[in-house]
């Protein structure tokens, strides 16, 4: 199966829209090995909270420019991606959001979140492949028969 299949737009992370998503983002911000593993897999639109989406997008932009994640929250909040993109009230809202995520890290361990995320991701990839296969089958069935 050489084709690359994308998870459909409109999907959200498997966790409730509250504390588990906060904890996941907190782990992504604070845990460099986890960030490096997840950076190409997790999309910002999967976060229900728009401020969480902005944090994730900013961290990915920093990584793209520098080639590594920020080493601290301070570096993140002082980076050009953060300072240029957001005005002072937005920066304050994002800082508050990051504190909420840091607190949530203490409530949900990465091990259990990772298991839920992995199961969800596998089911979404499976669903995407099924939809891809059905589309290919329907396309082949609607094509004229070359023997005719």
């Amino acid at each position: 199966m050489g084709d690359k299949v994308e998870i459909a737009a409109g999907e959200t992370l498997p966790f409730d829209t509250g504390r588990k998503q906060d904890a996941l983002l907190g782990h992504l911000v604070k845990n460099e090995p986890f960030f490096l593993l997840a950076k190409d897999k997790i999309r910002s639109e999967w976060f229900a909270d728009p401020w969480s989406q902005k944090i994730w997008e900013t961290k990915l932009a920093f990584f793209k420019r520098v080639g590594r994640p920020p080493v601290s929250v301070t570096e993140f909040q002082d980076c050009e991606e953060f300072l240029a993109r957001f005005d002072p009230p937005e920066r304050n809202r994002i800082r508050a959001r990051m504190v909420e995520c840091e607190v949530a890290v203490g409530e949900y361990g990465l091990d259990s979140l990772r298991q839920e995320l992995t199961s969800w991701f596998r089911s979404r990839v499976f669903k995407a492949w099924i939809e891809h296969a059905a589309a290919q089958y329907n396309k082949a069935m609607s094509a004229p028969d070359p023997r005719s």
Side-chain angles (χ1 to χ4, degrees):
M1 293 188 177
D3 296 343
K4 182 176 181 180
V5 173
E6 292 286 327
I7 295 175
E11 295 285 351
T12 58
L13 291 167
F15 317 119
D16 61 12
T17 57
R19 300 303 286 172
K20 282 188 178 182
Q21 284 197 16
D22 293 351
L24 176 66
L25 184 59
H27 285 292
L28 288 164
V29 168
K30 296 189 70 141
N31 184 322
E32 182 177 343
F34 182 55
F35 168 80
L36 293 172
L37 180 70
K39 68 179 175 48
D40 296 324
K41 296 179 175 108
I42 295 178
R43 298 198 316 232
S44 62
E45 64 265 21
W46 293 349
F47 288 100
D49 179 73
W51 295 104
S52 295
Q53 293 173 7
K54 292 173 197 290
I55 292 167
W56 185 237
E57 290 164 359
T58 304
K59 182 153 182 165
L60 291 172
F62 179 94
F63 180 84
K64 185 176 180 180
R65 180 177 60 86
V66 178
R68 64 166 175 81
V71 296
S72 67
V73 171
T74 301
E75 183 177 35
F76 175 86
Q77 293 175 355
D78 287 340
C79 75
E80 66 183 56
E81 290 80 6
F82 184 78
L83 296 173
R85 183 173 177 197
F86 305 111
D87 62 31
E90 290 173 318
R91 289 182 211 148
N92 289 335
R93 180 63 187 106
I94 290 173
R95 286 183 182 109
R97 189 84 189 98
M98 291 179 79
V99 169
E100 294 169 4
C101 292
E102 189 172 344
V103 170
V105 163
E107 298 171 3
Y108 294 97
L110 180 57
D111 53 349
S112 64
L113 292 175
R114 188 184 307 220
Q115 288 176 354
E116 286 182 60
L117 185 61
T118 299
S119 294
W120 174 82
F121 190 75
R122 286 179 179 160
S123 71
R124 300 296 86 189
V125 169
F126 180 74
K127 179 180 179 251
W129 273 111
I130 293 296
E131 290 169 350
H132 175 74
Q136 293 297 319
Y137 175 80
N138 290 335
K139 181 180 173 183
M141 292 304 293
S142 65
D145 188 349
R147 299 174 292 186
S148 305

